Amino acid sequence: NPKALSKALNFVLVCLSSRPQSKLFDFGIRALNRFHNSLKNRGEFFKNVAAIAHFGKFPSNLISSIAEYRECTTERVKEEVTNSQQSPVICTPTTTLDPDTRLVDQVKCDFEKLDRTENGKNRIRSIINNLYVNKIREKSDEIKAIMGEELVQWFAAYLVEHRIQFEFNLHSLYLDLLDQIGNEQLNVLIMEKTTENIRSLLDNNTHNNKALLKNLGHWLGLITLAKNKPLPFDKGYLKSIILKASGVEELMYTVPFVAKVLVSCAKSQTFAPKSPWTLSILKTLADVHKLPNIKLNLMFEVEVLCKSLNIHLERLQN
């Protein structure tokens, strides 16, 4: 249906003209990515797209493709528009209408899917905002019903970046929730996002990152060591980031992070406090503790860790 196609493309044009990073703009980019190869002969449409003020902020692949389509089809499009007396924004459809009809249906489907996705995200956020220990089973079932396959990746990123790394006191609650949901793909994505954020924070030392690193370190210990699972790093990673610290300032980030990871060894059989792997890292921390001019809060982190693991610090230093 040419009229339906015209409406669909005009709607996409409106979306693309919206503020960058807005939901409408994101939808426009997704739609354009999906169908731009099917409309190579519609140079007038792409001419209007290229005239958008923030066209330079479009993905580079779209910018180059649109430039190519305009160059190759401008003259033919002008003739078609003149003959058919259509709106200058949209060119005359090709002789075969089936692809265009499918395109309209696909754009409608994408928009409906986007609406469902946003609604699902809002419902999950509301559930997390009202999560209580005695409601874990009920709420986990609700999240599973809403999440499906579409929102698994989003939920993993949301939980790590907006909840876990800020809400230390709720780690046990989130751990119970994930255990109740029992989605292996979600657990893998949670691990990947946790590891990714930790590496990023360690590479970009700022004052605000200290608390986030401690929180993520505690969380990482809960989902690995406390469950008798190895860390998603090389065996000597924790020890190496302490030894590679170039000064006291870097130790201010690495030592509290490592300490928070190791707290979970108290709940582990495989990585128990007196296991060779754990003791090796504890001895490195003990060496940091007796460094000259070491800051008191770093000494305190090591002392608290040893106490929570029932390890005598003095014996580690001998």
Side-chain angles (χ1 to χ4, degrees):
N1 186 329
K3 286 186 178 180
L5 177 61
S6 178
K7 283 185 178 181
L9 294 183
N10 275 304
F11 175 70
V12 171
L13 198 59
V14 170
C15 291
L16 294 171
S17 302
S18 301
R19 178 178 55 83
Q21 298 182 344
S22 65
K23 291 179 181 179
L24 276 177
F25 178 77
D26 288 344
F27 172 75
I29 291 295
R30 288 185 201 177
L32 194 58
N33 256 321
R34 181 179 289 273
F35 69 62
H36 71 86
N37 285 327
S38 303
L39 299 174
K40 292 181 180 180
N41 64 334
R42 301 185 183 277
E44 193 67 26
F45 169 73
F46 292 114
K47 180 180 178 181
N48 282 279
V49 172
I52 293 172
H54 48 263
F55 178 65
K57 295 183 179 180
F58 282 30
S60 57
N61 68 304
L62 286 180
I63 292 176
S64 59
S65 295
I66 289 169
E68 179 185 339
Y69 301 155
R70 287 178 60 207
E71 188 175 319
C72 294
T73 63
T74 299
E75 291 305 319
R76 185 169 73 250
V77 169
K78 285 182 179 179
E79 291 178 9
E80 292 178 3
V81 171
T82 301
N83 294 336
S84 63
Q85 296 182 339
Q86 282 196 8
S87 169
V89 175
I90 306 301
C91 326
T92 305
T94 56
T95 54
T96 305
L97 291 180
D98 287 343
D100 291 344
T101 303
R102 289 196 299 270
L103 174 61
V104 174
D105 291 340
Q106 187 61 62
V107 171
K108 288 180 179 178
C109 179
D110 282 351
F111 188 69
E112 290 169 0
K113 183 178 178 181
L114 180 66
D115 188 52
R116 289 197 306 272
T117 299
E118 288 305 312
N119 182 54
K121 289 177 182 178
N122 290 333
R123 289 172 64 192
I124 289 176
R125 289 189 190 102
S126 177
I127 291 171
I128 298 298
N129 285 336
N130 297 280
L131 194 62
Y132 301 98
V133 175
N134 59 349
K135 295 284 187 179
I136 287 290
R137 185 181 295 275
E138 174 187 336
K139 297 303 179 184
S140 67
D141 289 341
E142 289 181 26
I143 289 175
K144 283 191 286 187
I146 298 168
M147 184 172 62
E149 293 184 3
E150 295 178 358
L151 293 178
V152 173
Q153 191 163 1
W154 169 83
F155 184 50
Y158 170 73
L159 205 58
V160 173
E161 295 179 346
H162 296 277
R163 295 292 182 165
I164 290 167
Q165 70 177 9
F166 293 104
E167 299 174 341
F168 176 89
N169 293 334
L170 297 179
H171 282 182
S172 295
L173 189 65
Y174 295 142
L175 190 65
D176 289 345
L177 177 67
L178 291 175
D179 286 343
Q180 286 293 327
I181 292 175
N183 186 310
E184 188 58 35
Q185 182 189 4
L186 176 61
N187 292 336
V188 169
L189 290 170
I190 289 280
M191 180 72 76
E192 289 177 356
K193 183 57 67 174
T194 300
T195 307
E196 177 187 322
N197 283 21
I198 286 171
R199 291 188 185 278
S200 177
L201 290 170
L202 285 171
D203 290 340
N204 300 281
N205 294 336
T206 66
H207 179 73
N208 293 334
N209 288 357
K210 292 179 183 178
L212 300 183
L213 271 171
K214 289 174 69 173
N215 290 349
L216 287 175
H218 180 258
W219 172 255
L220 181 64
L222 287 178
I223 61 176
T224 55
L225 305 180
K227 293 176 175 283
N228 296 309
K229 297 178 181 179
L231 296 174
F233 305 119
D234 293 337
K235 189 174 181 180
Y237 180 76
L238 293 187
K239 191 173 179 179
S240 70
I241 62 173
I242 299 171
L243 296 174
K244 289 178 181 178
S246 58
V248 175
E249 280 306 312
E250 280 196 30
L251 288 172
M252 293 292 291
Y253 296 91
T254 57
V255 169
F257 164 69
V258 172
K260 284 292 182 272
V261 174
L262 294 185
V263 165
S264 290
C265 290
K267 304 175 183 178
S268 179
Q269 293 179 336
T270 306
F271 305 97
K274 293 185 179 180
S275 68
W277 178 83
T278 307
L279 279 176
S280 175
I281 303 171
L282 288 174
K283 286 178 180 178
T284 303
L285 289 172
D287 290 339
V288 171
H289 183 275
K290 63 182 181 181
L291 287 174
N293 302 319
I294 193 69
K295 293 191 176 182
L296 288 176
N297 56 340
L298 287 184
M299 296 175 67
F300 181 71
E301 291 281 358
V302 177
E303 291 167 7
V304 169
L305 172 63
C306 288
K307 185 175 181 179
S308 66
L309 299 180
N310 197 25
I311 295 288
H312 295 285
L313 178 61
E314 299 78 12
R315 295 179 183 174
L316 293 173
Q317 293 174 328
N318 293 334

